[in-house]
Amino acid sequence: MAVDVLLGLQWGDEGKGKIVDVLSPDYDLIARFQGGPNAGHTLEFEGKKFVLNTIPSGIFFENTMNLIGNGVVIDPVALKKELESLKGAGHDLLAKKNLMIAKKAHLILPTHRLLDAASEKRMGDSKIGSTLKGIGPAYMDKTGRNGLRLGDFTLPDFKERYHKLVNKHKYILQLLYSEIIDFREQEKEFFQALDLISQFPLVDSEHVVNDYLKKGKKILAEGAQGTLLDIDFGSYPFVTSSNTTTAGACTGLGIAPNQIGEVIGVFKAYCTRVGGGPFPTELDNETGEELRFKGHEFGAITGRSRRTGWIDLPALKYAIMINGVNQLVMTKADVLRGFEQIYACTHYHYNGEVIDYMPYDIHAIQPVPVLQEIDGWQEDITGITAADQIPANLNTYIKFLEKELGVPVKYLSVGPDRKQTLILN
Ligand code: GDP
Ligand code: IMO
Ligand code: MG
């Protein structure tokens, strides 16, 4: 038995949550391995819609266990809200006993959120466009070896260590950003939320996943953000602060690399990005607006408008290479309906050359996309249920992508609902 990994191949919001939900009945354990409440994973079924932030997308199936891994950063306040909202909708995860949390997961403190906001404010126009959830500062404390882990909450010196870290944050806020903020209310919420969260089984994720493997059980590691937001291989510095790639599943759960099985890469039939940073195929025009409108491209957590553009094959090839993707999932194919022509970027014009890879300094020198025209399709595909109902032009688009990318498209998503998913290969 191996651990399969599902992750996004673009700049996030590819539809990862929906696809994890669709695949969940086939797995015994769904494990989130990185990121935090910066993620917004949308699931729709039986006329209901859920947006999950820190909680894995396998919680809606009876026989599937869920794990928040050590590589995740947890904001107890945000997680409590998420749990309460699920409970309100009839999904009490404490009662269902289907969620475990890694002791080694680091905590996002109220002051991490303040630091995130102060840093973004100070950067002005060159800001990252962070979700302001405190992700960057929390991971900085983790790698700076100052962080607090969820398991620390049960230790006698937790409050002391908390105040030591908060005093450092207050010092930075005052010195660098001249900010003095009263956060006593948030602090109270933080401790109340920790009381709730520590009622879940707090585990060593490395032992849990390896025990599952030994017992022959099936595990799916759920990625957040997207490959192009990876801290090492994304469009740095316009990235998030964790490894969103397959390697992140190893460090974020405690899995040896030779235990990785299938790597399922999810991509949209076009491309979107939220926040700042390079986006070579961006359509800052009426067509981009049409894509945004038809695809409801507004952030699942921040409500921000997503930037939109055509599919970017050099970027996708790069993401496939870094992750070892061997199965593709194409989502939002229905959104491209109605265009006479659609376009795929096959190469970039860059520094007087034509290249088919993502250049190092993509953040500084915007490559100009070389676009291939493809005939669009006019048929409504939101109700199709089998591969032989796919319109000819969409089939041609899929075959073209498979040839360019060298990986089969195994699933096709034709709408947000769980049922609007086709198996192709
Ligand atoms: P994630 O962060 O990768 O899980 O993706 P998000 O949930 O942030 O964004 C994807 C959005 O597209 C959500 O609103 C989904 O409900 C929706 N969605 C997913 N798949 C499809 C699809 O095939 N077609 C359409 N129209 N919407 C989809
Ligand atoms: P899901 O899992 C899209 C982007 C932010 C910003 C950059 C850094 O739903 O795909 P951060 O708050 O992480 O410090 O922000 O990363 N970003 C996302 N964009 N989907 C996400 O998650 C994202 N998580 C972070 O917009 O540009
Ligand atoms: Mg999202």
Side-chain angles (χ1 to χ4, degrees), residues 20-306:
V20 171
D21 172 66
V22 168
L23 300 180
S24 284
D26 292 341
Y27 289 92
D28 298 296
L29 179 70
I30 306 294
R32 258 289 291 275
F33 59 89
Q34 46 73 228
N38 48 349
H41 295 177
T42 315
L43 282 62
E44 289 192 33
F45 53 88
E46 294 159 14
K48 284 170 284 185
K49 177 171 164 174
F50 296 92
V51 179
L52 300 174
N53 308 124
T54 309
I55 295 174
S57 302
I59 51 164
F60 296 107
F61 289 94
E62 282 296 307
N63 300 318
T64 308
M65 181 50 91
N66 293 271
L67 169 68
I68 299 176
N70 57 278
V72 174
V73 281
I74 296 175
D75 180 341
V77 180
L79 182 52
K80 180 169 177 261
K81 280 194 192 130
E82 201 177 335
L83 288 163
E84 283 170 351
S85 141
L86 283 167
K87 189 174 171 180
H91 300 278
D92 181 347
L93 304 197
L94 257 183
K96 281 189 169 185
K97 299 189 192 316
N98 64 348
L99 178 67
M100 301 181 270
I101 315 178
K103 282 187 227 165
K104 293 190 179 79
H106 276 250
L107 292 173
I108 301 176
L109 274 48
T111 40
H112 283 135
R113 288 200 302 267
L114 296 177
L115 283 165
D116 200 358
S119 161
E120 288 283 83
K121 194 166 124 194
R122 189 173 157 128
M123 283 205 276
D125 285 347
S126 60
K127 71 179 180 190
I128 306 293
S130 118
T131 57
L132 304 178
K133 303 289 175 190
I135 305 294
Y139 277 115
M140 277 160 76
D141 274 331
K142 175 179 177 176
T143 50
R145 295 158 298 174
N146 291 304
L148 290 174
R149 301 184 291 178
L150 178 57
D152 297 344
F153 181 55
T154 54
L155 301 178
D157 65 343
F158 180 75
K159 277 236 158 124
E160 214 174 289
R161 291 180 48 204
Y162 168 84
H163 285 296
K164 194 171 162 204
L165 185 54
V166 165
N167 282 338
K168 187 188 97 169
H169 293 163
K170 281 198 213 156
Y171 184 70
I172 299 171
L173 282 166
Q174 216 166 327
L175 198 74
L176 286 184
Y177 307 117
S178 312
E179 303 244 357
I180 304 169
I181 298 165
D182 181 355
F183 55 91
R184 277 173 295 186
E185 212 36 56
Q186 287 113 300
E187 198 160 60
K188 215 164 92 191
E189 275 179 1
F190 175 78
F191 281 98
Q192 281 168 355
L194 272 170
D195 282 332
L196 171 78
I197 285 151
S198 54
Q199 291 174 40
F200 284 87
L202 304 187
V203 299
D204 288 310
S205 50
E206 63 278 31
H207 289 307
V208 169
V209 291
N210 284 289
D211 285 349
Y212 264 70
L213 284 176
K214 263 188 221 148
K215 288 179 187 147
K217 294 190 172 178
K218 288 189 75 182
I219 304 175
L220 180 68
E222 174 178 4
Q225 287 70 62
T227 300
L228 304 176
L229 289 171
D230 180 90
I231 183 72
D232 281 283
F233 300 108
S235 48
Y236 194 88
F238 297 97
V239 293
T240 191
S241 297
S242 60
N243 282 117
T244 59
T245 42
T246 303
C250 294
T251 56
L253 293 171
I255 307 164
N258 60 359
Q259 304 276 24
I260 298 293
E262 300 296 304
V263 181
I264 305 160
V266 185
F267 69 98
K268 271 181 207 183
Y270 49 99
C271 200
T272 63
R273 173 163 207 171
V274 212
F279 184 178
T281 61
E282 181 166 14
L283 292 163
D284 196 5
N285 56 21
E286 267 179 28
T287 312
E289 191 56 46
E290 190 177 343
L291 275 176
R292 184 175 307 117
F293 178 74
K294 285 184 170 171
H296 304 289
E297 296 297 353
F298 301 93
I301 37 167
T302 56
R304 288 182 292 175
S305 274
R306 294 178 184 148

Side-chain angles (χ1 to χ4, degrees), residues 310-311 313 341-347 369-375 396-397 400-401 403-404:
W310 298 120
I311 203 159
L313 299 181
Q341 304 291 330
I342 57 168
Y343 296 85
C345 164
T346 56
H347 297 79
V370 177
L371 295 175
Q372 171 142 349
E373 200 173 82
I374 295 155
D375 288 337
T396 308
Y397 185 45
F400 164 76
L401 294 178
K403 188 158 170 274
E404 288 284 320

Side-chain angles (χ1 to χ4, degrees), residues 288-395:
E289 191 56 46
E290 190 177 343
L291 275 176
R292 184 175 307 117
F293 178 74
K294 285 184 170 171
H296 304 289
E297 296 297 353
F298 301 93
I301 37 167
T302 56
R304 288 182 292 175
S305 274
R306 294 178 184 148
R307 300 156 65 193
T308 52
W310 298 120
I311 203 159
D312 184 335
L313 299 181
L316 271 180
K317 282 183 199 167
Y318 183 73
I320 288 168
M321 175 185 80
I322 295 290
N323 291 308
V325 171
N326 56 3
Q327 292 182 16
L328 290 168
V329 183
M330 181 158 102
T331 61
K332 304 195 96 160
D334 54 302
V335 174
L336 286 186
R337 173 200 182 191
F339 287 95
E340 275 308 311
Q341 304 291 330
I342 57 168
Y343 296 85
C345 164
T346 56
H347 297 79
Y348 302 136
H349 284 292
Y350 168 79
N351 266 348
E353 284 179 66
V354 177
I355 60 170
D356 71 347
Y357 60 88
M358 291 195 84
Y360 170 80
D361 45 7
I362 189 165
H363 61 286
I365 309 169
Q366 274 266 17
V368 178
V370 177
L371 295 175
Q372 171 142 349
E373 200 173 82
I374 295 155
D375 288 337
W377 52 94
Q378 311 309 316
E379 298 89 336
D380 177 3
I381 57 167
T382 54
I384 66 171
T385 51
D388 60 9
Q389 297 163 352
I390 297 174
N393 287 352
L394 171 55
N395 243 333

